[in-house]
Amino acid sequence: MLRRSRLSLLTRSFLVGGLGPLALLIALALHGAAHAQAFLSSAVTAAGAVVQTGQARTELVAHAPQGIAPGQTFWAGLRITHAKDWHTYWKNPGDSGLPTELRWTLPPGIQAGDIAWPAPKKFAIGASDPLINYGYEDTVLLPVPLTVSKDFQVAPGQNDLTLQLQASWLICRSECIPEEGRYTLRIPLRGATSLDAQAFEAARRAHPRDVAAGESHIQIEGDHLKLTVADLPQRLRGQKLDAFPETVDVLNPSAPWTQAWQGPLWTATLPLSAQRSASPVVLPVVLTLAQGSGSGSAHRNASEGWRVELPVRGAWPAAAAPVTLSPALQEALDAKAASTRSAANVTSLTFGAALALALLGGLILNLMPCVLPILAIKVLGFAQHAQDRRTLRLSGLAYTVGVLLSFLALGLALLGLRSAGESLGWGFQLQSPVMVAALAALFTVIALNLAGLFEFGQMAPGRLATLQARHPMLDAALTGVLAVIVASPCTAPFMGAALGLAATQPAAQALAIFGALGLGLALPYLAATFIPAVARLLPRPGAWMLTLRRVLAFPMLLTVVWLVWVLGHQSGVDGAATLLVLLVLLAALVWVLTLQGRARIMLCVVLLAVGGWFGATFGPSMFSDAASVAESQTRDDAGWQTWSPAREQALLAQGRAVFVDYTAAWCVTCQVNKRTTLNDAQVLKAFAARDVVLLRADWTRRDPAIGAALAALGRSGVPVYVLHRPARPEPRAPLVLSELLSPGEVQRALDTL
């Protein structure tokens, strides 16, 4: 039998392996904490609910200075901050475009009104014979009044109100991109919500003021309308105005028109649209100071406007059929609709089904290769306590707590960073070369400890060295933290759909899905500690444990090899070589710290000096961008091309079938699928026979375009495999394959072409 002091060395290694990952998880959570409070706090934070694209930052905000009370009205709205030269559209977009749409999901007793549209401005698209569109640039808030019914009731213990919004908009420069976002915002029922009071006040001032019709009217004169408007503010007299009809497809926005002042009356003659499809009895028109005229020239978005409902006199000429969208815009909208349909399988999941899938995915995660080294260590720890049932059960519970808290910390960090507009998914922490290098150093130290090069008590203060003996359950919990760190790059079957849904849910439901995933990972060991038959199968502690401990150092070193390989994909071969040298210096430093006397101090100083010089000189190579290297590797890999949204859309527009492999070097499942299926000669032959273009989207380093594409597919991590099929005769939704791929599944997917 081993003496107690010999056996405690094994569990001390757990403590060394746990403290580092715990610190990493805490750092991740704190990095997004300011934004994560938008999910977890009952008060509104400045971030609100945010969706970030390359063209705009959109945010759901609210204004309830008196709180939420029956019979009152408060405000919520979508704030759009456009990138330079991009614009979105007013309720009547003009010659082309689409208005922004807001679809609310509100608690019973809350009713949303219409958008209180701010006064728009005109955009000229094209140099000669330009199109004229109506809309907004820079920053605009689209406010909506929310009315609380008089019989509105609050559930016992309810302190806040949850607003959910599904928004869609078309954003254009010289090209147009349909975009959409889902938002969740919680505001307190009691107390003021007024962080965005200035924005709502500016939107109120920008909303056109109603002008009584009085003598104002419209006279139909052939193919023109003559507007006569009275009772406008006196300060507008003599100023040039812009006119925006609220009813679409009545006037021709890009045709020339005239205007004049006749004393207090403003008159204008505007041409009818050749494609006019409406013949209103009353035509609401918004008037603003023309751009470049008066005080309005200082503002890129119109700062004030006047709205008048003009009765129409005379008979309308015959109307034409409604105008259709341009082919390019229609194609973009069809592609967006196809992406939305492809995500239907995920978004249609019930919350209960998502929890079940997460639990099952966590169970299967125990079988993934990236988790096996840590699980072997855990089994060894169980064997140590096999004859002590109480300690065994407490150890299993502590391990489960460590796993659950770690998954919740990762979920909190992911949700918080996403709320800040980051495009992230499962395994996001390994997209950072800094994190990869830190994990490689951590696992190197763990491997050296398991191999017996040093013991924790040799270098730690006595009080810390005996921490495991005083708190063995903390040691078991930290082992759970380490298991999650190693498991996070893997995506097991059934996990993809559950994590994709979690990314779109409010915080409570999303974190529940992450918790179910953690419970699935810990469940086999939790069950083993409470089932006597399993405990009896564990061998008695003995000398074999010390031997097995040293054997486990080698899987840890293989994990280090894998992490260095991941860094090589991120930063190139020079970065990987630099990391290897630093790991050797780290191993030498650990060994030197076990020595005694002056040699220890002198060698430490030398190694620290050499390591500092080497890190300062060559360290930046570990964090350089190796995108060109990765692209050349992808291009030369059995006919695969580098994925981009433009390349995918161009191929689909040509009627080509496209297979996209969303992958990452840190995703172990991705590498297994690549070797067993995607590089299989018969699979590649089948792709070639059906003229399928192969695209590889490498997410090893963070890429917002890939993150957005995965979100459109209802996924939050890799691997994801998608077959885009030509439209014959109608558009077909992309076919999303399973996470664990097989040649047979690929062949069956190709048979649908």
Side-chain angles (χ1 to χ4, degrees), residues 461-498:
R463 183 174 179 82
L464 182 60
T466 60
L467 182 63
Q468 185 274 333
R470 290 182 287 112
H471 302 287
M473 296 307 103
L474 177 61
D475 183 52
L478 293 177
T479 308
V481 175
L482 185 60
V484 174
I485 284 287
V486 181
S488 60
C490 288
T491 301
F494 308 108
M495 277 179 58

Short mmCIF file of all heavy atoms in Angstrom, two decimals, residues 461-498:
data_model
loop_
_atom_site.label_atom_id
_atom_site.label_comp_id
_atom_site.label_asym_id
_atom_site.label_seq_id
_atom_site.Cartn_x
_atom_site.Cartn_y
_atom_site.Cartn_z
N PRO A 461 3.71 27.73 -0.80
CA PRO A 461 3.77 27.90 0.66
C PRO A 461 3.07 26.74 1.36
O PRO A 461 2.15 26.12 0.81
CB PRO A 461 3.03 29.23 0.88
CG PRO A 461 3.10 29.94 -0.43
CD PRO A 461 3.10 28.87 -1.48
N GLY A 462 3.51 26.47 2.58
CA GLY A 462 2.99 25.30 3.29
C GLY A 462 1.48 25.32 3.44
O GLY A 462 0.81 24.32 3.29
N ARG A 463 0.91 26.51 3.72
CA ARG A 463 -0.54 26.58 3.92
C ARG A 463 -1.28 26.24 2.63
O ARG A 463 -2.31 25.56 2.65
CB ARG A 463 -0.90 27.99 4.41
CG ARG A 463 -2.39 28.14 4.72
CD ARG A 463 -2.66 29.50 5.35
NE ARG A 463 -4.07 29.68 5.63
CZ ARG A 463 -4.68 29.22 6.71
NH1 ARG A 463 -3.97 28.55 7.61
NH2 ARG A 463 -5.97 29.42 6.90
N LEU A 464 -0.75 26.71 1.49
CA LEU A 464 -1.39 26.42 0.23
C LEU A 464 -1.16 24.97 -0.16
O LEU A 464 -2.04 24.32 -0.75
CB LEU A 464 -0.85 27.36 -0.87
CG LEU A 464 -1.46 27.22 -2.25
CD1 LEU A 464 -2.96 27.49 -2.20
CD2 LEU A 464 -0.79 28.19 -3.24
N ALA A 465 0.00 24.45 0.15
CA ALA A 465 0.31 23.06 -0.22
C ALA A 465 -0.61 22.07 0.49
O ALA A 465 -0.86 20.99 -0.02
CB ALA A 465 1.77 22.76 0.10
N THR A 466 -1.07 22.42 1.68
CA THR A 466 -1.97 21.52 2.41
C THR A 466 -3.44 21.83 2.17
O THR A 466 -4.30 21.31 2.85
CB THR A 466 -1.68 21.63 3.93
OG1 THR A 466 -1.91 22.97 4.35
CG2 THR A 466 -0.24 21.23 4.24
N LEU A 467 -3.70 22.68 1.16
CA LEU A 467 -5.08 23.07 0.90
C LEU A 467 -5.93 21.87 0.52
O LEU A 467 -7.08 21.73 0.94
CB LEU A 467 -5.11 24.12 -0.22
CG LEU A 467 -6.50 24.67 -0.60
CD1 LEU A 467 -7.10 25.40 0.59
CD2 LEU A 467 -6.39 25.60 -1.81
N GLN A 468 -5.36 20.95 -0.27
CA GLN A 468 -6.13 19.79 -0.70
C GLN A 468 -6.52 18.91 0.48
O GLN A 468 -7.64 18.39 0.54
CB GLN A 468 -5.33 18.99 -1.74
CG GLN A 468 -6.09 17.82 -2.34
CD GLN A 468 -5.98 16.57 -1.49
OE1 GLN A 468 -5.00 16.40 -0.76
NE2 GLN A 468 -6.98 15.71 -1.57
N ALA A 469 -5.59 18.75 1.41
CA ALA A 469 -5.90 17.91 2.56
C ALA A 469 -7.01 18.52 3.42
O ALA A 469 -7.84 17.81 3.97
CB ALA A 469 -4.63 17.70 3.41
N ARG A 470 -7.02 19.85 3.50
CA ARG A 470 -8.03 20.52 4.30
C ARG A 470 -9.35 20.67 3.55
O ARG A 470 -10.41 20.74 4.16
CB ARG A 470 -7.51 21.89 4.74
CG ARG A 470 -6.38 21.81 5.77
CD ARG A 470 -5.91 23.18 6.23
NE ARG A 470 -5.14 23.87 5.21
CZ ARG A 470 -5.56 24.96 4.57
NH1 ARG A 470 -6.75 25.47 4.84
NH2 ARG A 470 -4.81 25.55 3.65
N HIS A 471 -9.30 20.75 2.22
CA HIS A 471 -10.51 20.96 1.40
C HIS A 471 -10.48 20.02 0.19
O HIS A 471 -10.31 20.46 -0.95
CB HIS A 471 -10.59 22.42 0.94
CG HIS A 471 -10.61 23.41 2.05
ND1 HIS A 471 -11.70 23.60 2.87
CD2 HIS A 471 -9.65 24.27 2.50
CE1 HIS A 471 -11.43 24.54 3.76
NE2 HIS A 471 -10.19 24.96 3.56
N PRO A 472 -10.63 18.73 0.39
CA PRO A 472 -10.57 17.79 -0.74
C PRO A 472 -11.69 18.00 -1.75
O PRO A 472 -11.53 17.69 -2.93
CB PRO A 472 -10.66 16.42 -0.06
CG PRO A 472 -11.34 16.69 1.26
CD PRO A 472 -10.89 18.05 1.67
N MET A 473 -12.82 18.51 -1.31
CA MET A 473 -13.92 18.71 -2.25
C MET A 473 -13.61 19.85 -3.24
O MET A 473 -14.06 19.82 -4.38
CB MET A 473 -15.21 19.03 -1.50
CG MET A 473 -15.70 17.88 -0.60
SD MET A 473 -15.84 16.29 -1.47
CE MET A 473 -14.34 15.44 -0.91
N LEU A 474 -12.84 20.84 -2.77
CA LEU A 474 -12.43 21.89 -3.68
C LEU A 474 -11.55 21.31 -4.80
O LEU A 474 -11.65 21.71 -5.97
CB LEU A 474 -11.67 22.98 -2.92
CG LEU A 474 -11.10 24.13 -3.75
CD1 LEU A 474 -12.22 24.88 -4.47
CD2 LEU A 474 -10.29 25.08 -2.88
N ASP A 475 -10.70 20.36 -4.42
CA ASP A 475 -9.85 19.70 -5.42
C ASP A 475 -10.70 19.00 -6.46
O ASP A 475 -10.44 19.08 -7.67
CB ASP A 475 -8.93 18.71 -4.70
CG ASP A 475 -7.97 18.04 -5.66
OD1 ASP A 475 -7.29 18.76 -6.41
OD2 ASP A 475 -7.91 16.80 -5.67
N ALA A 476 -11.75 18.29 -6.05
CA ALA A 476 -12.63 17.59 -6.99
C ALA A 476 -13.37 18.58 -7.88
O ALA A 476 -13.54 18.35 -9.08
CB ALA A 476 -13.62 16.72 -6.22
N ALA A 477 -13.82 19.71 -7.32
CA ALA A 477 -14.52 20.71 -8.11
C ALA A 477 -13.61 21.31 -9.18
O ALA A 477 -14.02 21.53 -10.32
CB ALA A 477 -15.07 21.81 -7.21
N LEU A 478 -12.34 21.56 -8.80
CA LEU A 478 -11.42 22.13 -9.77
C LEU A 478 -11.09 21.14 -10.89
O LEU A 478 -10.77 21.54 -12.00
CB LEU A 478 -10.15 22.59 -9.06
CG LEU A 478 -10.34 23.77 -8.10
CD1 LEU A 478 -9.04 24.11 -7.39
CD2 LEU A 478 -10.86 24.99 -8.85
N THR A 479 -11.17 19.85 -10.59
CA THR A 479 -11.00 18.86 -11.65
C THR A 479 -12.13 18.99 -12.67
O THR A 479 -11.94 18.83 -13.88
CB THR A 479 -10.99 17.44 -11.07
OG1 THR A 479 -10.02 17.39 -10.02
CG2 THR A 479 -10.63 16.43 -12.14
N GLY A 480 -13.34 19.29 -12.19
CA GLY A 480 -14.46 19.54 -13.10
C GLY A 480 -14.21 20.76 -13.97
O GLY A 480 -14.58 20.78 -15.15
N VAL A 481 -13.61 21.82 -13.40
CA VAL A 481 -13.26 23.00 -14.17
C VAL A 481 -12.31 22.62 -15.30
O VAL A 481 -12.47 23.02 -16.46
CB VAL A 481 -12.63 24.07 -13.27
CG1 VAL A 481 -12.16 25.26 -14.10
CG2 VAL A 481 -13.61 24.52 -12.21
N LEU A 482 -11.30 21.82 -14.97
CA LEU A 482 -10.32 21.40 -15.96
C LEU A 482 -10.97 20.57 -17.06
O LEU A 482 -10.65 20.71 -18.25
CB LEU A 482 -9.20 20.60 -15.28
CG LEU A 482 -8.02 20.18 -16.16
CD1 LEU A 482 -7.35 21.39 -16.75
CD2 LEU A 482 -7.04 19.35 -15.37
N ALA A 483 -11.91 19.71 -16.70
CA ALA A 483 -12.61 18.91 -17.71
C ALA A 483 -13.35 19.79 -18.71
O ALA A 483 -13.36 19.52 -19.91
CB ALA A 483 -13.59 17.94 -17.02
N VAL A 484 -13.98 20.85 -18.23
CA VAL A 484 -14.72 21.75 -19.14
C VAL A 484 -13.76 22.50 -20.04
O VAL A 484 -14.04 22.71 -21.23
CB VAL A 484 -15.59 22.72 -18.32
CG1 VAL A 484 -16.26 23.75 -19.23
CG2 VAL A 484 -16.64 21.95 -17.55
N ILE A 485 -12.62 22.93 -19.50
CA ILE A 485 -11.62 23.63 -20.32
C ILE A 485 -11.22 22.77 -21.50
O ILE A 485 -11.12 23.23 -22.64
CB ILE A 485 -10.39 24.01 -19.47
CG1 ILE A 485 -10.71 25.21 -18.59
CG2 ILE A 485 -9.20 24.32 -20.35
CD1 ILE A 485 -10.80 26.52 -19.34
N VAL A 486 -10.97 21.49 -21.24
CA VAL A 486 -10.53 20.60 -22.31
C VAL A 486 -11.69 20.22 -23.22
O VAL A 486 -11.51 20.03 -24.43
CB VAL A 486 -9.88 19.33 -21.70
CG1 VAL A 486 -9.39 18.41 -22.80
CG2 VAL A 486 -8.72 19.73 -20.82
N ALA A 487 -12.90 20.12 -22.68
CA ALA A 487 -14.06 19.69 -23.47
C ALA A 487 -14.59 20.79 -24.37
O ALA A 487 -15.24 20.49 -25.38
CB ALA A 487 -15.17 19.20 -22.54
N SER A 488 -14.34 22.04 -24.06
CA SER A 488 -15.00 23.14 -24.76
C SER A 488 -14.72 23.19 -26.26
O SER A 488 -15.58 23.67 -27.01
CB SER A 488 -14.60 24.48 -24.12
OG SER A 488 -13.22 24.68 -24.18
N PRO A 489 -13.56 22.72 -26.78
CA PRO A 489 -13.40 22.77 -28.23
C PRO A 489 -14.23 21.72 -28.97
O PRO A 489 -14.33 21.77 -30.19
CB PRO A 489 -11.90 22.49 -28.44
CG PRO A 489 -11.27 22.75 -27.13
CD PRO A 489 -12.30 22.38 -26.11
N CYS A 490 -14.81 20.76 -28.27
CA CYS A 490 -15.53 19.66 -28.92
C CYS A 490 -17.01 20.00 -29.05
O CYS A 490 -17.58 20.64 -28.19
CB CYS A 490 -15.38 18.36 -28.12
SG CYS A 490 -13.73 17.65 -28.23
N THR A 491 -17.61 19.54 -30.12
CA THR A 491 -19.06 19.62 -30.30
C THR A 491 -19.56 18.21 -30.57
O THR A 491 -19.25 17.63 -31.61
CB THR A 491 -19.43 20.54 -31.47
OG1 THR A 491 -18.91 21.84 -31.21
CG2 THR A 491 -20.93 20.63 -31.63
N ALA A 492 -20.28 17.66 -29.63
CA ALA A 492 -20.81 16.30 -29.78
C ALA A 492 -22.13 16.34 -30.52
O ALA A 492 -22.76 17.39 -30.67
CB ALA A 492 -20.99 15.67 -28.39
N PRO A 493 -22.60 15.19 -31.03
CA PRO A 493 -23.92 15.14 -31.66
C PRO A 493 -24.99 15.67 -30.71
O PRO A 493 -24.91 15.49 -29.50
CB PRO A 493 -24.11 13.65 -31.94
CG PRO A 493 -22.73 13.11 -32.08
CD PRO A 493 -21.89 13.89 -31.10
N PHE A 494 -25.97 16.33 -31.28
CA PHE A 494 -27.12 16.94 -30.60
C PHE A 494 -26.77 18.27 -29.92
O PHE A 494 -27.67 19.00 -29.53
CB PHE A 494 -27.75 16.00 -29.57
CG PHE A 494 -28.08 14.64 -30.11
CD1 PHE A 494 -27.33 13.53 -29.75
CD2 PHE A 494 -29.13 14.47 -31.00
CE1 PHE A 494 -27.63 12.29 -30.25
CE2 PHE A 494 -29.42 13.24 -31.51
CZ PHE A 494 -28.68 12.13 -31.14
N MET A 495 -25.47 18.57 -29.75
CA MET A 495 -25.10 19.82 -29.11
C MET A 495 -25.37 21.02 -29.99
O MET A 495 -25.74 22.09 -29.51
CB MET A 495 -23.61 19.82 -28.71
CG MET A 495 -23.31 19.13 -27.40
SD MET A 495 -21.53 19.15 -27.04
CE MET A 495 -21.20 20.92 -27.05
N GLY A 496 -25.15 20.88 -31.32
CA GLY A 496 -25.24 22.03 -32.22
C GLY A 496 -26.58 22.70 -32.18
O GLY A 496 -26.68 23.93 -32.06
N ALA A 497 -27.67 21.91 -32.29
CA ALA A 497 -29.01 22.51 -32.29
C ALA A 497 -29.31 23.18 -30.96
O ALA A 497 -29.88 24.27 -30.91
CB ALA A 497 -30.05 21.44 -32.60
N ALA A 498 -28.93 22.53 -29.85
CA ALA A 498 -29.22 23.09 -28.53
C ALA A 498 -28.45 24.39 -28.31
O ALA A 498 -29.01 25.39 -27.83
CB ALA A 498 -28.87 22.08 -27.44
#
